Amino acid sequence: MFKKNILVTGGAGFIGSHLVRLLVNKYPEYKIINMDVLTYAGNLANLKDVEDKPNYEFVKCDICDFEKVQKIFIDYQIEGVIHLAAESHVDRSIKDPFSFAQTNVMGTLSLLQAAKFAWGGNFEDKLFYHVSTDEVYGALGEDGFFTEETSYDPHSPYSASKASSDHFVRAFQDTFGLPTVISNCSNNYGSFQFPEKLIPLFINNICNNKPLPVYGKGENVRDWLYVEDHARAIDVIFHKGKIGDTYNIGGFNEWKNIDLIKVMIKTVDRLLGREEGTSEKLITYVTDRAGHDLRYAIDSTKLKVELGWEPSLQFEEGIEETVKWYLENKEWMDNITSGDYQEYYKEMYKAK
Ligand code: NAD
Ligand code: TYD
């Protein structure tokens, strides 16, 4: 018998796999049920080291399949939900917004309804934790930060779908009393990230001497947080967060894309024993992303002051660890980039 059964959705993805690993190892008294449909972004190889643990179970399920989701809530007597399953890449949302509305909005709604029915109004010791993004707040100018009070102003189909899902979560709290909590995090980096996102894509291209497609002038700014610090923050909020509240998660670690790219080039070249600056010639400025948000920056003071969370890692150390991981796990990268990825890459970057 486990003390608590926790449903993690999207646990085979980048952040989800780090969270599942943390929870399974830290809480042997909890049962962690990982619900994931395994889209292109879901990969059970991300969880090899925990797959045989007695307190872990994988269930293949589409969060939009309401009947099946409901059954899982009942069969596993789910008491807590940490919801990460989503379509997560902005560029894909520009090409195919429907799938973002379907998964991120309808999928979240399906989970909320299932939780409401399964818990039947007895919400004691229950929690629905929705993992969201800082992109719901829109874009910042040269200065200022997103706080928990910043108004929503999403620009991409991805951020619009996440904003909509956040609204549904709050609506279920306000209308039905479902105990919920939401966190909005900045850009994550680290191991096991699908190489469609900037950091793993560029590390892989630098290794393979392929062009580095920098959107626009490379002047957009992102606030980067080490993925294990995000997982730690989710753990803290899940256990100590105030019901109905929102927490921003970020590392106070802003980088202009082009500066970050130069750090990646320097690090990969050094670790591969190449002469410094060898790969700078790969930088290729391409057509900007449509609706490209200029700057994101999170103020995570509330999380620090109220719940005592702080990032554990300096960026220099985190990026070094991350580059090393991708260099040492070539097989993981080759498995991903050998199949459909080739088609994705050709299609996404053909006009650029
Ligand atoms: P990811 O794309 O790496 O993983 C998403 C996972 O969800 C995959 O395992 C996929 O198989 C699964 N999934 C997708 N559709 C599903 C469906 N219909 N049913 C069941 N499973 C499904 O994403 P990520 O980067 O790990 O992001 C996880 C969450 O964190 C997302 O909700 C995202 O919006 C949020 N987030 C991400 C970042 C970031 O920098 N990556 C930052 C802030 C917030
Ligand atoms: P990304 O990793 O897609 O995250 P997000 O768009 O959610 O912030 O992109 C990070 C930044 O890098 C963003 O400003 C877009 C830029 N970028 C490029 O310049 N080239 C690329 O090939 C990609 C994927 C992103």
Side-chain angles (χ1 to χ4, degrees), residues 262 265-270 273-280:
K262 287 185 177 159
I265 290 174
K266 215 170 165 181
T267 312
V268 176
D269 279 350
R270 175 169 48 77
R274 295 176 183 165
E275 205 175 305
E276 190 173 335
T278 307
S279 302
E280 296 233 353

mmCIF file of all heavy atoms in Angstrom, residues 262 265-270 273-280:
data_model
loop_
_atom_site.group_PDB
_atom_site.id
_atom_site.type_symbol
_atom_site.label_atom_id
_atom_site.label_comp_id
_atom_site.label_asym_id
_atom_site.label_seq_id
_atom_site.Cartn_x
_atom_site.Cartn_y
_atom_site.Cartn_z
ATOM 1 N N LYS A 262 26.845 31.597 -28.641
ATOM 2 C CA LYS A 262 28.324 31.677 -28.619
ATOM 3 C C LYS A 262 28.901 30.876 -27.447
ATOM 4 O O LYS A 262 29.965 30.266 -27.568
ATOM 5 C CB LYS A 262 28.781 33.132 -28.597
ATOM 6 C CG LYS A 262 28.553 33.765 -29.967
ATOM 7 C CD LYS A 262 29.079 35.179 -30.083
ATOM 8 C CE LYS A 262 28.853 35.676 -31.534
ATOM 9 N NZ LYS A 262 28.859 37.116 -31.636
ATOM 10 N N ILE A 265 28.779 27.267 -28.567
ATOM 11 C CA ILE A 265 29.834 27.000 -29.556
ATOM 12 C C ILE A 265 31.178 26.814 -28.845
ATOM 13 O O ILE A 265 31.907 25.848 -29.087
ATOM 14 C CB ILE A 265 29.930 28.164 -30.583
ATOM 15 C CG1 ILE A 265 28.692 28.154 -31.481
ATOM 16 C CG2 ILE A 265 31.209 28.078 -31.410
ATOM 17 C CD1 ILE A 265 28.597 29.341 -32.433
ATOM 18 N N LYS A 266 31.461 27.724 -27.936
ATOM 19 C CA LYS A 266 32.729 27.692 -27.213
ATOM 20 C C LYS A 266 32.862 26.385 -26.420
ATOM 21 O O LYS A 266 33.908 25.722 -26.432
ATOM 22 C CB LYS A 266 32.758 28.882 -26.241
ATOM 23 C CG LYS A 266 34.109 29.489 -26.054
ATOM 24 C CD LYS A 266 33.991 30.787 -25.276
ATOM 25 C CE LYS A 266 35.383 31.146 -24.796
ATOM 26 N NZ LYS A 266 35.416 32.349 -24.034
ATOM 27 N N THR A 267 31.773 26.027 -25.747
ATOM 28 C CA THR A 267 31.809 24.848 -24.875
ATOM 29 C C THR A 267 31.957 23.563 -25.700
ATOM 30 O O THR A 267 32.789 22.705 -25.389
ATOM 31 C CB THR A 267 30.525 24.781 -24.009
ATOM 32 O OG1 THR A 267 30.303 26.063 -23.430
ATOM 33 C CG2 THR A 267 30.649 23.747 -22.916
ATOM 34 N N VAL A 268 31.155 23.440 -26.755
ATOM 35 C CA VAL A 268 31.233 22.215 -27.579
ATOM 36 C C VAL A 268 32.615 22.125 -28.220
ATOM 37 O O VAL A 268 33.256 21.062 -28.182
ATOM 38 C CB VAL A 268 30.125 22.187 -28.672
ATOM 39 C CG1 VAL A 268 30.304 20.961 -29.569
ATOM 40 C CG2 VAL A 268 28.744 22.184 -28.046
ATOM 41 N N ASP A 269 33.090 23.219 -28.808
ATOM 42 C CA ASP A 269 34.413 23.191 -29.465
ATOM 43 C C ASP A 269 35.493 22.762 -28.476
ATOM 44 O O ASP A 269 36.345 21.929 -28.786
ATOM 45 C CB ASP A 269 34.757 24.575 -30.053
ATOM 46 C CG ASP A 269 34.072 24.813 -31.416
ATOM 47 O OD1 ASP A 269 33.517 23.837 -31.964
ATOM 48 O OD2 ASP A 269 34.103 25.948 -31.915
ATOM 49 N N ARG A 270 35.452 23.328 -27.267
ATOM 50 C CA ARG A 270 36.478 22.978 -26.259
ATOM 51 C C ARG A 270 36.382 21.500 -25.889
ATOM 52 O O ARG A 270 37.388 20.780 -25.883
ATOM 53 C CB ARG A 270 36.291 23.860 -25.009
ATOM 54 C CG ARG A 270 37.229 23.489 -23.853
ATOM 55 C CD ARG A 270 37.206 24.535 -22.743
ATOM 56 N NE ARG A 270 35.879 24.941 -22.317
ATOM 57 C CZ ARG A 270 35.076 24.226 -21.534
ATOM 58 N NH1 ARG A 270 35.470 23.057 -21.055
ATOM 59 N NH2 ARG A 270 33.877 24.680 -21.201
ATOM 60 N N GLY A 273 37.732 19.228 -28.404
ATOM 61 C CA GLY A 273 39.151 19.439 -28.729
ATOM 62 C C GLY A 273 39.357 20.226 -30.013
ATOM 63 O O GLY A 273 40.413 20.143 -30.636
ATOM 64 N N ARG A 274 38.336 21.003 -30.417
ATOM 65 C CA ARG A 274 38.496 21.838 -31.611
ATOM 66 C C ARG A 274 39.124 23.163 -31.203
ATOM 67 O O ARG A 274 38.988 23.586 -30.058
ATOM 68 C CB ARG A 274 37.138 22.127 -32.264
ATOM 69 C CG ARG A 274 36.439 20.914 -32.824
ATOM 70 C CD ARG A 274 35.059 21.339 -33.356
ATOM 71 N NE ARG A 274 34.291 20.208 -33.840
ATOM 72 C CZ ARG A 274 32.972 20.246 -34.076
ATOM 73 N NH1 ARG A 274 32.296 21.356 -33.859
ATOM 74 N NH2 ARG A 274 32.332 19.185 -34.513
ATOM 75 N N GLU A 275 39.713 23.830 -32.140
ATOM 76 C CA GLU A 275 40.302 25.140 -31.867
ATOM 77 C C GLU A 275 39.189 26.132 -31.509
ATOM 78 O O GLU A 275 38.093 26.053 -32.099
ATOM 79 C CB GLU A 275 41.019 25.620 -33.120
ATOM 80 C CG GLU A 275 42.130 26.614 -32.830
ATOM 81 C CD GLU A 275 42.869 26.954 -34.118
ATOM 82 O OE1 GLU A 275 43.353 26.023 -34.792
ATOM 83 O OE2 GLU A 275 42.912 28.152 -34.426
ATOM 84 N N GLU A 276 39.454 27.040 -30.572
ATOM 85 C CA GLU A 276 38.423 27.984 -30.140
ATOM 86 C C GLU A 276 37.852 28.775 -31.322
ATOM 87 O O GLU A 276 38.610 29.269 -32.154
ATOM 88 C CB GLU A 276 38.986 28.941 -29.075
ATOM 89 C CG GLU A 276 37.874 29.748 -28.458
ATOM 90 C CD GLU A 276 38.328 30.602 -27.271
ATOM 91 O OE1 GLU A 276 39.331 30.268 -26.622
ATOM 92 O OE2 GLU A 276 37.640 31.614 -27.021
ATOM 93 N N GLY A 277 36.535 28.862 -31.390
ATOM 94 C CA GLY A 277 35.880 29.662 -32.436
ATOM 95 C C GLY A 277 35.654 28.906 -33.735
ATOM 96 O O GLY A 277 35.027 29.434 -34.664
ATOM 97 N N THR A 278 36.111 27.665 -33.824
ATOM 98 C CA THR A 278 35.973 26.879 -35.064
ATOM 99 C C THR A 278 34.547 26.920 -35.602
ATOM 100 O O THR A 278 34.329 27.094 -36.810
ATOM 101 C CB THR A 278 36.341 25.384 -34.804
ATOM 102 O OG1 THR A 278 37.620 25.341 -34.214
ATOM 103 C CG2 THR A 278 36.314 24.569 -36.083
ATOM 104 N N SER A 279 33.562 26.756 -34.725
ATOM 105 C CA SER A 279 32.186 26.562 -35.198
ATOM 106 C C SER A 279 31.393 27.862 -35.354
ATOM 107 O O SER A 279 30.216 27.814 -35.707
ATOM 108 C CB SER A 279 31.459 25.603 -34.253
ATOM 109 O OG SER A 279 32.158 24.388 -34.195
ATOM 110 N N GLU A 280 32.057 29.008 -35.088
ATOM 111 C CA GLU A 280 31.328 30.285 -35.247
ATOM 112 C C GLU A 280 30.835 30.464 -36.676
ATOM 113 O O GLU A 280 29.822 31.106 -36.927
ATOM 114 C CB GLU A 280 32.213 31.464 -34.832
ATOM 115 C CG GLU A 280 32.577 31.434 -33.370
ATOM 116 C CD GLU A 280 32.265 32.735 -32.637
ATOM 117 O OE1 GLU A 280 31.885 33.712 -33.285
ATOM 118 O OE2 GLU A 280 32.407 32.739 -31.395
#
